Amino acid sequence: FLSLFSLSLSLSLSLNSFSNPFSSKSGMDLVKDGWFHERGELWKGQAMSLEVKNILAHYRSDYQDILVFESTNHGNVLVLDGVIQVTERDEFSYQEMIAHIPLYAHPNPKKVLVIGGGDGGVLREIAKHESVEEIVICEIDKGVIDVSKKYLPTLAKGYDDPRVTVHVMDGAKFMEENQDSFDVIITDSSDPIGPASVLFETPFYNVSACVFVCFLR
């Protein structure tokens, strides 16, 4: 029960890491007059703006538009397909909530799976739990991992833990092919559009439930 609760809680808290490969939106198109302006399609009537100090990286990976910029007040900022994923100033509030709540809900978590979470922040927080023996992360876009290691080192330090194993592939496919038992599954995905939508649908939950059933047996 606790494991299923952990999965449900993690999914409800999850926000960002996979994005929409069909989107043609360029992060640079949202930089005007020295400010980055995010206007998310799912969040009508609101916008998020940060002042840009310096553009650090911008290119399109096989899956999404990747932008990293240094802001004047929020440190370095990771943007995927025009949507802010993390800022160095406040990323801890997200990473701590999505990692520690499900981990503390489980009586003795030893094997943890992260779907998404390419910036490494969730890995960093999971690594603080001494009971965890194995941390597996499945991130679809290696580009996110690479830019995070270069421009978000305080998050990407999570990859340095020897308990971490990295798989670069689709999270839903990974779950289908690797139905090993996990004590906790944390889905750190983006909004339910594009490839991330499968992480909010019944087949993914069914496979996840099977993983937990196998563990409970």
Side-chain angles (χ1 to χ4, degrees):
F1 171 78
L2 285 174
S3 296
L4 290 172
F5 168 75
S6 301
L7 171 65
S8 176
L9 179 59
S10 299
L11 283 170
S12 67
L13 288 172
S14 66
L15 291 175
N16 301 308
S17 189
F18 298 130
S19 201
N20 185 1
F22 305 107
S23 172
S24 59
K25 182 180 294 184
S26 168
M28 288 301 297
D29 291 340
L30 303 178
V31 178
K32 300 183 183 300
D33 299 322
W35 287 76
F36 174 85
H37 304 282
E38 176 192 323
R39 298 180 178 86
E41 296 179 3
L42 295 178
W43 317 110
K44 303 296 184 182
Q46 69 180 44
M48 176 65 181
S49 298
L50 293 174
E51 189 174 7
V52 178
K53 184 177 181 180
N54 186 32
I55 300 296
L56 300 176
H58 179 243
Y59 68 97
R60 185 164 189 86
S61 72
D62 292 337
Y63 297 94
Q64 57 205 333
D65 182 87
I66 299 176
L67 169 67
V68 183
F69 67 87
E70 180 186 4
S71 66
T72 57
N73 296 304
H74 285 71
N76 291 350
V77 181
L78 172 64
V79 180
L80 301 179
D81 279 344
V83 179
I84 295 173
Q85 307 299 295
V86 295
T87 78
E88 287 183 309
R89 178 175 178 176
D90 60 9
E91 54 82 16
F92 69 91
S93 60
Y94 173 79
Q95 317 289 359
E96 292 177 0
M97 287 289 287
I98 196 174
H100 296 307
I101 291 178
L103 285 170
Y104 279 122
H106 193 286
N108 188 30
K110 293 184 178 296
K111 190 172 182 179
V112 181
L113 171 64
V114 180
I115 301 293
D119 54 64
V122 173
L123 298 178
R124 180 194 66 199
E125 298 304 315
I126 295 172
K128 295 177 181 178
H129 292 255
E130 295 182 358
S131 69
V132 175
E133 299 174 352
E134 183 177 355
I135 308 169
V136 178
I137 179 171
C138 182
E139 163 64 48
I140 196 171
D141 194 344
K142 187 176 183 296
V144 175
I145 298 175
D146 292 341
V147 297
S148 297
K149 287 182 176 181
K150 185 172 183 178
Y151 298 110
L152 299 168
T154 58
L155 285 79
K157 65 185 291 186
Y159 287 102
D160 298 333
D161 193 282
R163 293 170 291 178
V164 173
T165 301
V166 181
H167 296 273
V168 179
M169 62 180 294
D170 179 86
K173 184 175 179 60
F174 177 85
M175 289 293 292
E176 292 177 0
E177 298 178 353
N178 298 271
Q179 295 192 20
D180 297 325
S181 60
F182 291 95
D183 300 319
V184 177
I185 298 175
I186 298 175
T187 306
D188 182 9
S189 71
S190 65
D191 301 326
I193 56 176
S197 63
V198 300
L199 303 180
F200 294 83
E201 296 174 354
T202 300
F204 179 75
Y205 281 93
N206 287 340
V207 174
S208 300
C210 178
V211 170
F212 287 125
V213 168
C214 293
F215 166 72
L216 292 172
R217 289 176 180 170

